[in-house]
Amino acid sequence: MPLERQSVHAPAAPAAIGPYSHAVRAGELLFCSGQIPLDPATGELAGTTAGEQARRCLENLAAVCEAAGASLQQAVRLTVYMTDLAAFGEVNEAYGEFFDAEPPARVAVGVAALPRGAYVEIDAIVAL
């Protein structure tokens, strides 16, 4: 029996800037596309520091989770992409605001560049 796959559109998250879904539900998992720190109302980058941008990324991911009937607190793994790993402390501080108890598994990766000149991008896998 093939696995059922359903795309999720999140009206409260920034519009996709390419040919992808905000998330895809497959079985009991939600695979959220990477979110850069776009303001959903303006489509412009939000935040001038990596910490501020991480906060916006997580707010956008929370909106995607909500559109799927889930919560970011149900995340089992997040991947944080950063253009400057020296800013990890401030990103970690913002991250801690969202996950104070039993945080999900996490990977942090340094990258050369991100879309629209963002400093941070974060994706998630969420248990439904």
Side-chain angles (χ1 to χ4, degrees):
M1 181 168 166
L3 184 63
E4 187 175 321
R5 179 184 177 282
Q6 177 186 14
S7 294
V8 174
H9 173 71
I17 57 174
Y20 60 87
S21 299
H22 281 126
V24 173
R25 177 192 311 261
E28 296 300 313
L29 293 174
L30 181 69
F31 296 86
C32 300
S33 293
Q35 289 290 317
I36 60 173
L38 295 180
D39 180 313
T42 66
E44 298 299 320
L45 281 178
T48 58
T49 68
E52 291 170 351
Q53 289 194 1
R55 192 171 290 108
R56 179 78 255 173
C57 292
L58 291 163
E59 290 168 354
N60 292 345
L61 280 172
V64 172
C65 290
E66 186 176 309
S71 161
L72 189 56
Q73 299 306 308
Q74 294 168 252
V76 293
R77 179 174 172 194
L78 276 76
T79 305
V80 179
Y81 305 90
M82 299 175 56
T83 59
D84 181 5
L85 288 175
F88 189 76
E90 66 183 88
V91 169
N92 207 40
E93 186 176 322
Y95 188 93
E97 295 171 14
F98 288 80
F99 304 107
D100 56 348
E102 296 189 37
R106 179 178 69 187
V107 175
V109 181
V111 297
L114 290 167
R116 308 277 293 272
Y119 304 140
V120 180
E121 179 173 1
I122 305 175
D123 67 24
I125 300 172
V126 178
L128 299 173

